[in-house]
Amino acid sequence: MRFAPIAAALAWLTSTAFAQTTWLVSNDPSESPDFLSLTEAVASPIVQSGDTILISEGIGDYFETALVTKSLTIRAEQGESPVLRPTDSPNRLTIQVGVQIFPAGSIHGLVFRPGSDLRGGVGAGSAGRVISDCTFEGLVDVALATLSLQNVISDCTFINCATVGWPLAVVATGAGSTIERCVFISDPPTPGTGPFISSSSSGVFDCTFRGGPIAVTGSGSGALGVMTFGRCTFEDAELDATQRAFGGGASTGYTFEQCLFANIRSETFPLTQSVNQDLVFLNCTIARCVAPSLAEVPFFNPSERVVLSNTVLGENTFGALTNAGELVVNYSITPFSVPGAGNQVTDPLLADPENGDFTLKRGSPGVDAGNNSLVPGAAATDLLGNPRFADDPIMPDTGAGSTPIVDIGAYEFQPPGPGFCQADLTTNAIPGLPGYGVPNGIANNDDFFYFLTLFTTKLGCGVGPGFTRCPSPPDLTTNAIPGTPGYGILDGFISNDDFFYYLTLFATGC
């Protein structure tokens, strides 16, 4: 319900308590707004705690210095994206884009951009804050969305918001806060800038980080900071000599669950670091990264550990897995031989890492090779949202638990559905032409010659020193005799059995 300004003023004069009200802010007078700016609205005595302020796109950007001291919900009008910019001030350190909200307020659907290289941010001073569906673009030198305990930032995008110095951050949160479904982009990352997130302890879920540094947690003597990242992607970061991808203060910990680390280069520091806390990777994929080591846990506390469970490492350049701290590895694919159940030193057979596809090929040694008991929180889906426990009937179950066995890494291989024809491998047999290696639902001579090329180039794969499991195809079977054990089950080797097995498939057709 919306009141005109005069009617609302009369209501305020006749009663000190009145029902929740929705107010319209627009700088376009033709929309008959209640207020022409957010600053005017939040300063008005007729706007009370519990009210909602709708902001229209109006006729252009809003220039605001609003400080909200009431419990309000502030959101964009449905389907609109109003832009808030800072009002110039002699003291740039005090300039804000948007609002600070106290207590129990929320901000939704607003766009924040700089004006003349000014600083800006959104703050929340108490528990229960929500900032959602907002875009922060090109803002510098400030914690742009600052939350205290038990707050939520969701579905927001942060683009090229540089924070110069340490430990300033794009998002600063208190213990118990969560960041969900947000995108953080630094393109290119600015030398010397601080991380995207600074937190004492929080959960970060379903977020994408492009560039970096990424996070810092824990600060001060005795401070305890443990951040959990679930189903997050960290990619394309070139860090300078002063920057850590993940760092922290006196007592810092990180847990990564079903996360992807890809194309991150950290020449000076380990890719990840914890201090006085465990550093844990559960069902993660780490690929094409460069750092002196994957992880570092300084031995301030003898119980500190680097834990890798159900995790894939592929095509990285690490001097070591860890240069400090106890290393515990189980059911993981690594470049170095390490003790632990279910570990493999082999090519994980990622689908197309050069072009950003880090899922598992069919025949990957990570398929059905994890430990069900080590899956974080009994997760039902993988990083892409596909079913987490998907059995591939042609792969042997080499992991631990009852079928279906979880795959190693952040992605679960999804077996082909109904109508899949195993003899169909390609559209044409000429390398470099469109459709090469892309099935088309037809089995013809192109498929036969395509398989023959794979077979001859991979013959002997999986045999001898430097064992590498062979992809499927050309690995199709353990033997070529129907009805015998291993018929139609991959064994990681290429032999004549695979050739004759394919001949049977090809003769059957699609």
Side-chain angles (χ1 to χ4, degrees):
M1 180 177 179
R2 181 186 302 165
F3 292 98
I6 295 177
L10 290 175
W12 175 67
L13 290 171
T14 56
S15 175
T16 57
F18 43 105
Q20 177 177 345
T21 304
T22 298
W23 307 93
L24 175 64
V25 169
S26 175
N27 54 17
D28 181 359
S30 69
E31 292 186 331
S32 300
D34 299 303
F35 301 99
L36 295 176
S37 72
L38 178 63
T39 303
E40 179 187 358
V42 300
S44 172
I46 63 174
V47 176
Q48 298 291 299
S49 292
D51 289 355
T52 296
I53 296 178
L54 293 181
I55 303 182
S56 164
E57 285 183 338
I59 56 175
D61 297 354
Y62 292 82
F63 293 85
E64 304 282 358
T65 55
L67 175 64
V68 180
T69 59
K70 306 166 187 176
S71 176
L72 301 173
T73 295
I74 303 173
R75 60 173 77 235
E77 280 214 283
Q78 186 173 2
E80 299 190 10
S81 297
V83 177
L84 275 67
R85 293 180 180 270
T87 301
D88 202 358
S89 166
N91 185 354
R92 292 190 175 187
L93 290 174
T94 64
I95 294 174
Q96 297 180 6
V97 181
V99 301
Q100 286 195 349
I101 49 180
F102 302 89
S106 56
I107 299 175
H108 308 269
L110 303 183
V111 176
F112 299 87
R113 295 195 180 107
S116 185
D117 195 30
L118 303 181
R119 308 178 183 193
V122 173
S126 304
R129 303 292 71 71
V130 175
I131 298 174
S132 70
D133 299 295
C134 291
T135 297
F136 301 82
E137 185 173 352
L139 302 176
V140 298
D141 292 348
V142 73
L144 301 178
T146 304
L147 300 182
S148 56
L149 306 182
Q150 305 297 326
N151 290 282
V152 177
I153 299 175
S154 67
D155 303 285
C156 291
T157 300
F158 299 84
I159 304 172
N160 291 336
C161 295
T163 56
V164 177
W166 188 272
L168 296 178
V170 172
V171 175
T173 65
S177 293
T178 59
I179 302 171
E180 304 169 349
R181 300 178 302 280
C182 291
V183 176
F184 301 84
I185 299 173
S186 179
D187 184 22
T190 305
T193 55
F196 288 126
I197 297 175
S198 175
S199 174
S200 57
S201 181
S202 63
V204 184
F205 305 101
D206 301 293
C207 291
T208 297
F209 300 83
R210 191 168 300 120
I214 297 163
V216 59
T217 185
S219 61
S221 177
L224 177 63
V226 179
M227 292 183 69
T228 297
F229 289 87
R231 301 175 304 276
C232 289
T233 297
F234 314 104
E235 59 186 355
D236 302 331
E238 291 275 350
L239 305 178
D240 68 24
T242 69
Q243 296 170 316
R244 291 181 181 268
F246 296 88
S251 192
T252 297
Y254 293 100
T255 296
F256 302 102
E257 301 177 349
Q258 302 197 127
C259 292
L260 170 67
F261 300 76
N263 299 306
I264 300 175
R265 179 178 292 271
S266 178
E267 296 288 358
T268 306
F269 299 105
L271 186 66
T272 55
Q273 180 195 41
S274 285
V275 180
N276 281 325
Q277 300 290 328
D278 284 351
L279 184 57
V280 180
F281 301 84
L282 304 176
N283 273 102
C284 291
T285 296
I286 304 166
R288 299 177 68 83
C289 294
V290 177
S293 64
L294 167 65
E296 178 182 75
V297 182
F299 255 109
F300 299 159
N301 184 327
S303 65
E304 294 170 356
R305 304 176 302 163
V306 175
V307 180
L308 277 73
S309 299
N310 292 347
T311 290
V312 166
L313 278 74
E315 300 190 17
N316 300 290
T317 303
F318 297 136
L321 292 182
T322 179
N323 59 352
E326 180 187 357
L327 182 63
V328 179
V329 185
N330 291 291
Y331 294 89
S332 295
I333 298 175
T334 69
F336 309 108
S337 179
V338 291
N343 294 328
Q344 304 178 56
V345 181
T346 183
D347 183 348
L349 295 179
L350 303 178
D352 189 7
E354 289 188 2
N355 293 299
D357 186 349
F358 300 96
T359 59
L360 302 177
K361 287 181 181 178
R362 195 165 214 193
S364 165
V367 175
D368 298 345
N371 186 329
N372 289 355
S373 68
L374 300 176
V375 177
T381 58
D382 68 1
L383 182 57
L384 291 177
N386 293 320
R388 199 10 145 175
F389 295 87
D391 181 62
D392 187 351
I394 70 171
M395 287 294 291
D397 290 342
T398 59
S402 301
T403 301
I405 302 293
V406 69
D407 293 352
I408 297 175
Y411 304 98
E412 189 83 6
F413 178 80
Q414 303 297 306
F420 168 68
C421 177
Q422 202 173 358
D424 174 29
L425 302 175
T426 191
T427 301
N428 67 69
I430 304 175
L433 289 185
Y436 183 74
V438 179
N440 62 353
I442 302 170
N444 56 26
N445 288 341
D446 286 297
D447 299 286
F448 177 80
F449 288 113
Y450 178 82
F451 178 82
L452 191 60
T453 299
L454 295 179
F455 179 77
T456 55
T457 56
K458 293 291 186 178
L459 191 61
C461 174
V463 178
F467 170 84
T468 298
R469 189 178 183 96
C470 306
S472 177
D475 177 25
L476 298 172
T477 189
T478 300
N479 67 68
I481 304 174
T484 59
Y487 184 75
I489 303 298
L490 308 188
D491 60 357
F493 297 89
I494 303 301
S495 68
N496 288 338
D497 287 291
D498 298 288
F499 180 79
F500 289 114
Y501 182 85
Y502 183 73
L503 280 183
T504 303
L505 295 177
F506 182 73
T508 304
C510 293

